[in-house]
Amino acid sequence: MSSTDHSTRSHSSFEKSRPLLDHLPTRGSQKVKYQEDAEWDHHVDGGNQPLDLSLMLPHYRARNQPVDHRMAMLVESDSEPVKLKVCRNFPQCHFYLEVLSEDSDVTLWLPSDFRGQIHTSTKPSFSAGFINRILRNVRLNERDVEEYYDEDHVVVVTRGRISIRMWDVRTCSPENTHKESLKRMFGCSRKTPETAIDWDFLLKD
């Protein structure tokens, strides 16, 4: 499975993405492991249960894992709130994350060393930590999608609200909201970006 396997999904393909792993709990921490013969390395279907998960990326490359493979994660929910923390301690462990829901509110904490693409179906809000330390490394809702195996990619599809925050790789914890807000007030001039929503890329085969 190459780094581009999950780059241009359409809604029709979402229906085909059935659980490939055993049923997983909807709360707590979960280790993400390379699955050699599966479409997804990690798949959680919350159904109508709220999701509050920390997805722990591996801190080493698996023996049979291709060099250009990104950890592929799919999280689905019907209508309840989704809270996901993507936790990374090994910078070379890049990932592709898809979050799919009808109308759930989705809150994501992305690692502070995130670098790559984010596509969202509705206009997201960003925390101070995200703007201070991640935004400069993000291509947001770009029309032309070009994949790089050494980058990350996040796709969020929902009619609910989308909030994106920072998970600090140095402290291994969610951002310190007070500290990051002070940085933004007194030392960070970055502005919240304008985010045009363009979903033509989902129509590509």
Side-chain angles (χ1 to χ4, degrees), residues 101-171:
S101 177
E102 291 293 328
D103 51 11
S104 299
D105 290 342
V106 176
T107 304
L108 291 180
W109 284 261
L110 298 179
S112 54
D113 59 359
F114 181 96
R115 181 182 296 272
Q117 302 187 63
I118 298 176
H119 287 89
T120 60
S121 56
T122 60
K123 185 175 181 179
S125 63
F126 303 102
S127 70
F130 180 91
I131 296 171
N132 291 346
R133 297 176 48 191
I134 301 178
L135 178 60
R136 63 176 65 89
N137 298 319
V138 171
R139 302 195 305 283
L140 189 62
N141 285 333
E142 284 192 351
R143 183 182 182 88
D144 297 320
V145 178
E146 185 173 356
E147 292 289 331
Y148 301 93
Y149 77 89
D150 58 348
E151 289 189 344
D152 306 308
H153 193 166
V154 170
V155 175
V156 183
V157 180
T158 182
R159 290 191 292 265
R161 292 173 295 182
I162 300 173
S163 302
I164 305 181
R165 304 175 182 177
M166 181 187 73
W167 188 83
D168 195 330
V169 300
R170 295 181 300 184
T171 63

Side-chain angles (χ1 to χ4, degrees), residues 69-89:
H69 176 79
R70 293 181 297 183
M71 302 305 292
M73 301 174 286
L74 172 63
V75 177
E76 299 178 284
S77 176
D78 290 340
S79 59
E80 294 300 319
V82 175
K83 295 181 179 180
L84 293 175
K85 299 177 181 71
V86 181
C87 309
R88 172 165 62 192
N89 295 319

